């Protein structure tokens, strides 16, 4: 087995010996202040810009706050709000944040010898004022491995872009749940939900984390979106992003020929009729040069 060593210039090596042991025991760990606030704010700023470009298209003043701008866009045009959220998932800044060199050092310390990425990152937005009718609002208890089915040591990287308290839609996890392997569950529209008879609410621990903190979690760890705290609904705004990382060299993954539960489809039909026109191309690249006169 090839092993990638954690670089000796990393200030986190001393922490890693304690935290890696905790990760293996509990199926998750929290590394405080692994990312700088500047890096987080840059990513959050691009997400805000995506939202505001859609408001500008509607000629709506989004006001000074991202939260307010998101509420305005959702009320004005649900489709544009959802399009903005989908586009946020694709931002290079989100990918760069989740694969920052400090995160990659920790993945190496956790035993990910040759990282591979089975799917794109996800930006999750939770707020009592940003509920899309009939749409996503948190996830029930589940394990991510069921939707990956790759390496057994796969790691979930989860980091908040806003501070998260226990009353603000935290990530709830069941410590040591990864040791049981794949729990019984039922396939739903969004994931494979764990059978409620398998757990109790008191089994979960709510992770209170700040922007810049990073959660590393086994793909087998049972987790959910925290929707209540001390009997009251969670409030406020929580924005986080996450990605899934597999270990290309994990023996069972190699033996099974690198299976991946994700697929890829491409729409060949034009999604916007009669687009682009020459005038659209001119706005992007400028007016075409006149054709050279024939001799």
């Amino acid at each position: 087995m090839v092993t990638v060593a954690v670089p000796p210039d990393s200030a986190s090596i001393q922490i890693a010996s304690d935290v890696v042991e905790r990760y293996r025991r509990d199926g998750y760990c929290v590394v405080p202040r692994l990312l700088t606030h500047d890096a987080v704010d840059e990513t959050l700023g691009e997400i805000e810009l995506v939202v505001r470009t859609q408001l500008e298209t509607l000629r709506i003043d989004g006001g000074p706050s991202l939260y307010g701008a998101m509420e305005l866009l959702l009320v004005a045009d649900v489709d544009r709000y959802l399009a903005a959220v989908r586009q946020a998932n694709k931002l290079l800044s989100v990918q760069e944040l989740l694969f920052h060199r400090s995160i990659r050092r920790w993945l190496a310390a956790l035993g990910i010898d040759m990282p591979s990425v089975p799917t794109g990152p996800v930006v999750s937005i939770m707020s009592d004022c940003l509920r899309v009718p009939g749409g996503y609002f948190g996830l029930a208890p589940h394990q991510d491995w069921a939707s990956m089915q790759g390496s057994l040591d796969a790691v979930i990287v989860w980091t908040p872009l806003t501070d998260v308290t226990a009353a603000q839609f935290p990530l709830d996890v069941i410590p040591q749940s990864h040791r049981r392997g794949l729990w019984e569950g039922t396939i739903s529209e969004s994931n494979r939900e764990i059978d409620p008879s398998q757990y109790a609410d008191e089994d979960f621990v709510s992770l209170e984390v700040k922007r810049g903190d990073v959660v590393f979690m086994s793909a087998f760890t049972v987790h959910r979106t925290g929707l209540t705290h001390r009997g009251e609904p969670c409030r406020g705004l929580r924005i986080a992003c996450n990605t899934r990382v597999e270990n290309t060299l994990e023996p069972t993954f190699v033996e099974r020929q690198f299976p991946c539960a994700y697929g890829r489809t491409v729409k060949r039909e034009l999604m916007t009729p009669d687009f682009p026109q020459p005038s659209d191309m001119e706005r992007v690249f400028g007016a075409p040069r006149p054709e050279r006169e024939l001799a």
Side-chain angles (χ1 to χ4, degrees):
M1 176 66 70
V2 177
T3 301
V4 179
V6 180
D9 61 342
S10 172
S12 61
I13 291 179
Q14 190 171 358
I15 302 174
S17 60
D18 307 10
V19 181
V20 168
E21 181 181 350
R22 193 181 315 153
Y23 172 88
R24 298 194 183 285
R25 181 193 69 210
D26 293 336
Y28 73 95
C29 66
V30 179
V31 182
R33 302 180 299 281
L34 189 57
L35 300 171
T36 66
H37 284 181
D38 286 345
V40 174
D41 289 346
E42 179 181 350
T43 302
L44 196 59
E46 288 201 359
I47 293 173
E48 180 170 357
L49 184 57
V50 170
V51 172
R52 292 190 182 278
T53 56
Q54 291 301 317
L55 284 171
E56 289 174 5
T57 300
L58 298 173
R59 293 181 170 78
I60 296 176
D61 181 359
S65 76
L66 170 59
Y67 197 2
M70 294 172 78
E71 286 188 67
L72 284 171
L73 183 58
L74 177 61
V75 171
D77 192 324
V78 172
D79 290 339
R80 284 187 181 274
Y81 172 81
L82 292 174
V85 173
R86 288 193 296 269
Q87 185 61 27
N89 294 332
K90 305 171 189 175
L91 291 173
L92 181 59
S93 62
V94 172
Q95 299 194 39
E96 289 180 331
L97 188 73
L98 288 167
F99 290 103
H100 190 276
R101 62 183 180 277
S102 59
I103 288 178
R104 293 190 63 176
R105 285 197 285 261
W106 272 86
L107 288 171
L110 295 176
I112 302 300
D113 301 312
M114 185 184 291
S116 57
V117 185
T119 187
V122 173
V123 175
S124 57
I125 300 170
M126 292 296 300
S127 168
D128 49 309
C129 295
L130 294 174
R131 297 188 69 150
V132 176
Y136 163 84
F137 194 74
L139 294 173
H142 66 285
Q143 297 169 294
D144 285 352
W145 191 88
S147 60
M148 301 163 63
Q149 301 182 42
S151 71
L152 295 180
D153 55 357
V155 177
I156 310 305
V157 180
W158 190 96
T159 188
L161 304 183
T162 55
D163 292 351
V164 180
T165 69
Q168 203 169 2
F169 306 103
L171 182 64
D172 286 354
V173 301
I174 298 182
Q176 302 187 24
S177 54
H178 65 308
R179 294 175 175 270
R180 280 179 48 182
L182 195 60
W183 289 35
E184 294 181 17
T186 304
I187 296 175
S188 67
E189 184 177 349
S190 57
N191 53 40
R192 185 175 181 270
E193 294 183 9
I194 303 298
D195 187 331
S197 67
Q198 302 293 304
Y199 61 84
D201 277 343
E202 52 267 28
D203 295 336
F204 288 91
V205 173
S206 295
L207 303 185
E208 299 193 58
V209 288
K210 297 183 179 295
R211 62 193 180 108
D213 297 351
V214 177
V215 178
F216 295 96
M217 180 174 64
S218 165
F220 283 96
T221 298
V222 176
H223 60 288
R224 69 183 181 187
T225 306
L227 298 179
T228 59
H229 175 62
R230 295 177 180 174
E232 295 294 327
C234 289
R235 301 289 184 189
L237 172 68
R238 184 266 271 170
I239 303 178
C241 56
N242 72 84
T243 194
R244 300 171 175 186
V245 184
E246 294 176 324
N247 181 7
T248 302
L249 301 181
E250 193 272 311
T252 69
F253 193 31
V254 174
E255 176 64 26
R256 293 180 297 128
Q257 302 177 56
F258 309 119
C260 182
Y262 295 97
R264 176 178 175 178
T265 60
V266 179
K267 286 186 176 181
R268 303 298 180 187
E269 300 80 12
L270 292 179
M271 299 171 66
T272 305
D274 301 319
F275 180 86
Q277 294 292 316
S279 58
D280 298 308
M281 303 306 295
E282 186 173 329
R283 278 194 293 271
V284 174
F285 296 107
R289 294 180 179 180
E291 292 186 8
R292 188 171 52 187
E293 293 183 1
L294 295 176

